[in-house]
Amino acid sequence: MQNLLKNREMLLALIIIGMILAFTSRAPNFASPSNLATIFNDTSILIILALGQMVVILTKSIDLSVAANLAFTGMAVAMLDSTYPGLPLALLVLLAIGIGGALGAINGFLVWALRIPPIVVTLGTLTIYRGMSFVLSGGAWVNAHQMQPDFLGVPRLPVLGLPILSWTALAVVILVGFILARTPFGRSTYAAGGNPVAAVYAGIDVGRARFLSFVLSGALAGLSGYLWVSRYAVAYVDIAAGFELDSVAACVIGGISIAGGIGTVIGTVLGALFLGVIKNALPVIGISPFAQMAISGIVIVLAVVFNARAERKKGRIILRDRAAKTEVTA
């Protein structure tokens, strides 16, 4: 039992299951397969966005512009679809990913080349990208009747019981898991965040790792932009306002260390699902939106405290540990 409680992902999964069972006592259909599939589908965009955020946080950075990136790319592809109805959907999706990746590359360049703190860079680009969305659209909305049927319909198509939106999220989970576990870039992200000094001695370009993490985060935000617009059938300047905080919250709840270098893909997915279950359940049992925000905030603070205690017990800095051992030996 003690080993079980030490496994953060297993403990979080049990908490989510316990929450679902508890909410079922108030709403009997809450745990039905169809409702659980709906919760996962509603959380899919947050999962994709949080996975990009996770990669950035692993490098000891943060990306506060992901929601603004989402809004701009969503508006851009919605306007393209409305203005040029003959454009293939695959091209629009690739454009969304490319635009998002380019916006992420701007963040990465400022952090890498100019050595500006990531929180300052992305706080600035958050406002810039929102402003760009307003300039692009002139403040106008793109509504469902202006979009093409395939643009709106493809993410909603059911395949084996789940919409394509859900399958897209699962594909991104597998892709990011593979990148982090099986590629040099994935290993360098953990090294860059866990111990940047040791990473440099090991020949890892920490700046490049951070740059690429921002590009990946931006690309996933761009994909999320298309999925958001097609999911809710509308594009406007303020879509996904505040969603960057949800992406950070999902990471923190899932055990991703804000100090960098610690975290898993499964933990991030579970953190997003935790928020998804809460947001879907609290209105059902009659909790006001203000109380929902307070409950989410309390959960985030508790998760940060839990992470900090776990990190202190495990230890983090390799060079400091080696120096301590040298002193003891001397």
Side-chain angles (χ1 to χ4, degrees):
M1 185 64 181
Q2 188 175 4
N3 291 333
L4 178 64
L5 294 177
K6 287 181 179 179
N7 188 322
R8 176 61 176 266
E9 290 80 9
M10 182 65 72
L11 178 59
L12 185 55
L14 291 175
I15 291 173
I16 293 172
I17 293 171
M19 287 169 50
I20 292 173
L21 295 176
F23 290 134
T24 302
S25 65
R26 295 288 299 275
N29 293 328
F30 190 80
S32 65
S34 61
N35 189 61
L36 293 179
T38 299
I39 291 174
F40 183 83
N41 193 57
D42 290 343
T43 314
S44 293
I45 295 176
L46 177 57
I47 290 173
I48 296 171
L49 210 63
L51 288 171
Q53 186 74 258
M54 179 200 74
V55 177
V56 173
I57 292 176
L58 284 176
T59 65
K60 217 170 189 176
S61 303
I62 193 167
D63 189 353
L64 297 179
S65 68
V66 287
N69 187 329
L70 181 159
F72 178 78
T73 53
M75 176 63 75
V77 294
M79 292 182 67
L80 282 171
D81 182 65
S82 174
T83 307
Y84 304 101
L87 288 177
L89 178 59
L91 177 60
L92 290 172
V93 173
L94 290 175
L95 283 173
I97 295 172
I99 293 170
L103 297 182
I106 293 172
N107 292 334
F109 175 79
L110 293 174
V111 171
W112 179 18
L114 302 185
R115 299 184 183 279
I116 304 174
I119 192 169
V120 176
V121 169
T122 57
L123 193 59
T125 54
L126 180 159
T127 306
I128 293 170
Y129 298 161
R130 286 283 179 189
M132 287 167 54
S133 180
F134 182 85
V135 171
L136 180 67
S137 64
W141 291 32
V142 181
N143 295 304
H145 69 273
Q146 299 171 271
M147 304 178 196
Q148 301 307 305
D150 62 336
F151 184 90
L152 296 174
V154 169
R156 306 164 187 260
L157 289 176
V159 176
L160 299 177
L162 288 175
I164 288 179
L165 172 58
S166 296
W167 288 112
T168 302
L170 289 172
V172 171
V173 170
I174 295 171
L175 175 63
V176 174
F178 176 82
I179 289 173
L180 291 178
R182 302 292 182 183
T183 66
F185 163 67
R187 291 186 287 273
S188 67
T189 57
Y190 281 99
N195 193 320
V197 176
V200 171
Y201 282 130
I204 294 172
D205 190 334
V206 173
R208 180 175 178 274
R210 287 178 178 163
F211 172 79
L212 292 177
S213 71
F214 277 105
V215 173
L216 178 58
S217 176
L220 292 179
L223 174 62
S224 299
Y226 161 67
L227 294 173
W228 183 290
V229 170
S230 64
R231 172 80 170 82
Y232 297 104
V234 65
Y236 57 96
V237 173
D238 291 327
I239 63 172
F243 217 56
E244 62 277 347
L245 300 182
D246 286 345
S247 70
V248 174
C251 292
V252 171
I253 293 170
I256 312 303
S257 172
I258 293 297
I262 295 176
T264 66
V265 169
I266 296 300
T268 303
V269 173
L270 290 173
L273 289 175
F274 181 93
L275 293 176
V277 169
I278 287 181
K279 290 186 176 183
N280 278 270
L282 295 185
V284 172
I285 62 177
I287 303 296
S288 73
F290 301 104
Q292 294 176 40
M293 294 173 63
I295 292 171
S296 297
I298 291 170
V299 169
I300 293 168
V301 171
L302 292 176
V304 170
V305 172
F306 186 93
N307 289 349
R309 289 174 59 86
E311 288 168 23
R312 280 199 298 269
K313 289 178 181 179
K314 291 180 180 179
R316 290 183 52 81
I317 304 179
I318 299 171
L319 295 183
R320 184 179 297 170
D321 291 344
R322 288 180 178 174
K325 289 178 182 178
T326 304
E327 289 176 5
V328 172
T329 304

